[in-house]
Amino acid sequence: MPLRPRRPGRPATAALAASAAALLAISLLAGCGAVQKAMDCTRAAGSVVDAVDKLQQAAGHALDDPQQARQALDSVESNLRKVGNDTGDPDLAKAIHTMNKGITNARRALDRNQVPDVQPIADGAGDMAEICTPG
């Protein structure tokens, strides 16, 4: 049985493909931390936005049921704490600061039997969602 003639360049093509695969794997691993961080940010922002939605609903009935509003504030604050511990982004830190300030003011209003202004908290949540949205 005669041997087939060897095609020139085949070992070079295999080596080139292996090198390209190795470079791709290295670049993917290097970017993995950034991708994971973005995914964590998006997930956390979603949790905060959901908590703020509940807060807005509770704020409308704050004089009738201030405990529900306090629980909603606690939920937002808890979610913010999780996000704040992991952020190094200055824009995200600013949004968290705005929201925390709004939470403090809302608690003061509840303590005075007033309807809390939750708009600064909602604005901060909107900023956070925008910051954490990839693209």
Side-chain angles (χ1 to χ4, degrees):
M1 220 181 198
L3 293 173
R4 288 187 179 171
R6 215 171 190 199
R7 291 186 190 172
R10 218 170 192 195
T13 303
L16 182 61
S19 295
L23 287 173
L24 179 62
I26 290 169
S27 66
L28 286 175
L29 289 175
C32 199
V35 170
Q36 184 62 44
K37 188 173 184 178
M39 288 174 56
D40 290 345
C41 182
T42 302
R43 192 175 11 253
S47 298
V48 170
V49 169
D50 288 344
V52 169
D53 285 344
K54 291 176 185 170
L55 171 61
Q56 287 178 314
Q57 293 170 7
H61 305 286
L63 295 180
D64 298 329
D65 190 357
Q67 187 58 33
Q68 183 182 5
R70 283 187 180 91
Q71 288 172 344
L73 285 167
D74 291 345
S75 177
V76 173
E77 195 170 43
S78 173
N79 282 300
L80 282 178
R81 203 172 299 119
K82 291 175 192 171
V83 176
N85 290 339
D86 296 334
T87 188
D89 184 289
D91 292 330
L92 189 55
K94 183 179 176 184
I96 291 170
H97 176 73
T98 298
M99 293 179 72
N100 281 326
K101 190 173 170 185
I103 289 169
T104 299
N105 292 336
R107 288 187 193 283
R108 283 187 191 133
L110 286 172
D111 290 343
R112 295 180 187 136
N113 293 322
Q114 298 172 342
V115 174
D117 177 13
V118 296
Q119 193 58 50
I121 302 168
D123 291 346
D127 291 345
M128 180 180 289
E130 187 176 311
I131 292 164
C132 290
T133 301

